[in-house]
Amino acid sequence: QQYQQQQQWQQQQQQQQQQPFFNGTASAPPPPPPPPPPPPRAKQQQEHPGGAQGGPGSPINMKYANKLETKSEEAEQAAITNIKRNILIHWALLPPMLQMLRPIDQLVSTIHNCFPPAYGVPAHDYFQKWKPIMHSDLVLSSAMGNTPNEDKLKKAVRKIRFFLHPDKLPKDLSAEQSFMVKMLWDVTSDGWEEFCKQKEELDWIRG
């Protein structure tokens, strides 16, 4: 019996040695660190609505956004090219060869046919204010033939330049409307310059 008590006492000692011992001065082991917080999913989704595809500023998305802008620029350039072609063929150049400008009196008396909404260019209220110039208003009299009068032509060209002057034009013109106005201005100016040049040559020949 004494031997059994000794064995029990030894077993108790071994169990106490295996268990951690804490006294008044010893501190318990620190608790395990808390798990990391979950990622802010909602915020990421707000910043990048495309999820795994990234936001609008990602390189891949920017690539296709730039392609869309390029397509838009190409469409605008194609529209401007079409306007230029129509103005030259249907108004500015003399048929059938289309190698030289029409006489200035023809340009002045038909320029209203080129104002928007001609050739698919969007309409604008400003161009409705233009009062067309009749060809009969450019000659002295029908008895003297259809030769245009220089003073009347000069006033007509001045009227067109005043109407198409950049300071007089509305600020909300589209790119197509602005291009059309500039081209009409240039053709009218070149037509008037050619008229004055031919007149000086005729005056020199006549002596």
Side-chain angles (χ1 to χ4, degrees):
Q1 184 178 2
Q2 185 177 2
Y3 176 76
Q4 292 179 356
Q5 292 178 352
Q6 186 176 1
Q7 283 186 346
Q8 291 179 359
W9 182 82
Q10 289 179 354
Q11 291 177 359
Q12 291 177 359
Q13 292 294 326
Q14 290 176 359
Q15 291 177 0
Q16 291 178 358
Q17 289 177 359
Q18 292 176 359
Q19 294 178 357
F21 176 76
F22 304 107
N23 54 22
T25 60
S27 59
R41 286 178 168 271
K43 184 176 181 181
Q44 289 182 352
Q45 291 178 357
Q46 290 177 1
E47 293 178 353
H48 305 289
Q53 297 179 357
S58 68
I60 293 179
N61 290 334
M62 287 293 294
K63 172 184 175 181
Y64 291 97
N66 291 337
K67 283 187 177 181
L68 183 61
E69 293 179 359
T70 302
K71 290 290 185 181
S72 178
E73 292 175 358
E74 291 176 355
E76 181 177 326
Q77 187 61 39
I80 288 178
T81 302
N82 184 62
I83 295 169
K84 181 178 181 180
R85 176 180 175 84
N86 281 319
I87 289 178
L88 290 176
I89 293 177
H90 300 291
W91 177 69
L93 299 179
L94 190 66
M97 300 301 295
L98 303 177
Q99 296 293 323
M100 55 188 300
L101 288 177
R102 293 177 186 265
I104 185 62
D105 56 311
Q106 295 184 20
L107 295 176
V108 167
S109 59
T110 58
I111 191 172
H112 60 278
N113 295 326
C114 299
F115 288 157
Y119 312 133
V121 178
H124 195 286
D125 293 340
Y126 177 77
F127 299 101
Q128 296 180 4
K129 301 177 182 179
W130 175 258
K131 183 179 179 181
I133 300 173
M134 305 302 295
H135 190 270
S136 58
D137 297 334
L138 302 175
V139 298
L140 288 176
S141 64
S142 57
M144 299 180 63
N146 293 325
T147 303
N149 177 263
E150 182 180 359
D151 291 336
K152 292 188 175 184
L153 268 178
K154 185 184 296 185
K155 291 180 180 179
V157 172
R158 189 179 303 167
K159 177 182 177 181
I160 293 174
R161 287 179 173 176
F162 181 83
F163 186 75
L164 299 181
H165 195 278
D167 293 341
K168 298 295 182 181
L169 293 174
K171 303 300 181 183
D172 60 344
L173 292 183
S174 66
E176 297 175 6
Q177 293 167 341
S178 298
F179 175 81
M180 174 176 278
V181 167
K182 183 179 184 304
M183 189 168 182
L184 295 178
W185 171 288
D186 291 342
V187 172
T188 303
S189 299
D190 291 342
W192 173 249
E193 182 178 349
E194 185 68 18
F195 171 81
C196 294
K197 180 180 178 181
Q198 292 179 0
K199 184 177 181 304
E200 289 178 359
E201 291 176 354
L202 289 175
D203 292 344
W204 182 82
I205 292 174
R206 292 171 182 173

